[in-house]
Amino acid sequence: MFRFAVITLTAGFLAGCQVNTTHLVHDYKAPPASLTADIASQRDMKCPITLFSYEDHRQSKTMGSVAFTIVESDVDRWVESALAHVKISHDVVPNAGSLKLTLVKAYIQSLRGNMAANVVFGAQFKGPDDEDFSDKRYFRGHEVEVNFSSTQGEIKTTLNKAIAKALARIKAAYSEGCSSQIPV
C-alpha cells in the first residue's frame, strides 16, 4: 500500500511539473515612452556611433526560464534590431565613433511572483580621432516585472526593457563627446 502511494505521488508530481520550451520570435519592440525617452534623448547626440563588430559570447545560448518554460530566441536578430532602433548600425557615417560590442549575458528568470531580465554588454569604443579602441567596459540593463501568466508577450516586454536600459547607458557613455575617455 505504501509503495503504491509513493509511486502514485511520484508519477503525479512528475506529470504536473512538466517543463515546456518556447521559442520567441524576437524582434525588438521599443518599451513604453517613459523608458524610450532616455534613449530618444541620446539618439542624436554630437557623435554618431557605427557598429564595428558584434559578437555573442554568452556561455549558455538559452535565455533562461520563467516558471516551467525555457526561453529560446534568435538573440542576434533581437540585438541587431534593438541597435538599429537606437541608431547604432554597420552603416559608415562621417565623423562617427566605432563600437565593438560583445553580448556577455542575456537571460530572464523567475523570482517568486516576478521575472527578472538581465542584459550585459561588453563595449569598446574608438572616437573618430582616437588611435585604438578603449579598454572593455561593461553595461548592464536590468528589469523586474510582475509575472502574471508567463506569456511570451510578458517575457519579450521584460527583455526589451532590459536591453533598452543597457543600450541607453552605452549611448550616454560614448555619444556626447565622441571619445572613449568619457566617464559614465
Side-chain angles (χ1 to χ4, degrees), residues 99-164:
L99 181 68
K100 287 184 180 178
L101 200 61
T102 304
L103 182 62
V104 179
K105 293 182 181 184
Y107 65 90
I108 190 164
Q109 63 186 11
S110 294
L111 297 171
R112 297 185 186 199
N114 296 322
M115 55 185 148
N118 285 286
V119 176
V120 179
F121 287 107
Q124 293 176 278
F125 185 78
K126 180 174 84 168
D129 298 326
D130 294 338
E131 294 287 323
D132 293 318
F133 281 90
S134 65
D135 291 336
K136 188 176 280 188
R137 294 172 56 190
Y138 294 91
F139 297 88
R140 178 177 178 235
H142 176 74
E143 182 66 25
V144 177
E145 294 282 332
V146 175
N147 183 6
F148 290 108
S149 57
S150 303
T151 64
Q152 285 191 9
E154 289 177 325
I155 293 167
K156 285 167 51 169
T157 299
T158 306
L159 285 164
N160 284 340
K161 288 179 180 179
I163 197 171

Side-chain angles (χ1 to χ4, degrees), residues 9-21:
L9 288 174
T10 303
F13 179 73
L14 292 175
C17 293
Q18 184 176 357
V19 176
N20 300 317
T21 300

Side-chain angles (χ1 to χ4, degrees), residues 12-153:
F13 179 73
L14 292 175
C17 293
Q18 184 176 357
V19 176
N20 300 317
T21 300
T22 184
H23 184 80
L24 297 179
V25 177
H26 229 332
D27 285 325
Y28 176 80
K29 290 188 180 175
S34 61
L35 287 175
T36 56
D38 292 335
I39 294 172
S41 67
Q42 305 293 336
R43 271 195 204 145
D44 300 315
M45 297 189 103
K46 296 176 185 172
C47 182
I49 298 175
T50 298
L51 186 62
F52 183 81
S53 66
Y54 161 72
E55 295 177 359
D56 183 353
H57 284 190
R58 295 175 300 138
Q59 290 179 351
S60 172
K61 299 304 179 189
T62 67
M63 297 285 286
S65 63
V66 175
F68 293 108
T69 302
I70 297 170
V71 181
E72 295 179 347
S73 177
D74 183 352
V75 175
D76 292 339
R77 189 171 87 192
W78 174 56
V79 171
E80 292 279 346
S81 61
L83 287 166
H85 180 75
V86 297
K87 298 191 179 188
I88 297 175
S89 71
H90 291 287
D91 298 336
V92 177
V93 178
N95 297 319
S98 296
L99 181 68
K100 287 184 180 178
L101 200 61
T102 304
L103 182 62
V104 179
K105 293 182 181 184
Y107 65 90
I108 190 164
Q109 63 186 11
S110 294
L111 297 171
R112 297 185 186 199
N114 296 322
M115 55 185 148
N118 285 286
V119 176
V120 179
F121 287 107
Q124 293 176 278
F125 185 78
K126 180 174 84 168
D129 298 326
D130 294 338
E131 294 287 323
D132 293 318
F133 281 90
S134 65
D135 291 336
K136 188 176 280 188
R137 294 172 56 190
Y138 294 91
F139 297 88
R140 178 177 178 235
H142 176 74
E143 182 66 25
V144 177
E145 294 282 332
V146 175
N147 183 6
F148 290 108
S149 57
S150 303
T151 64
Q152 285 191 9

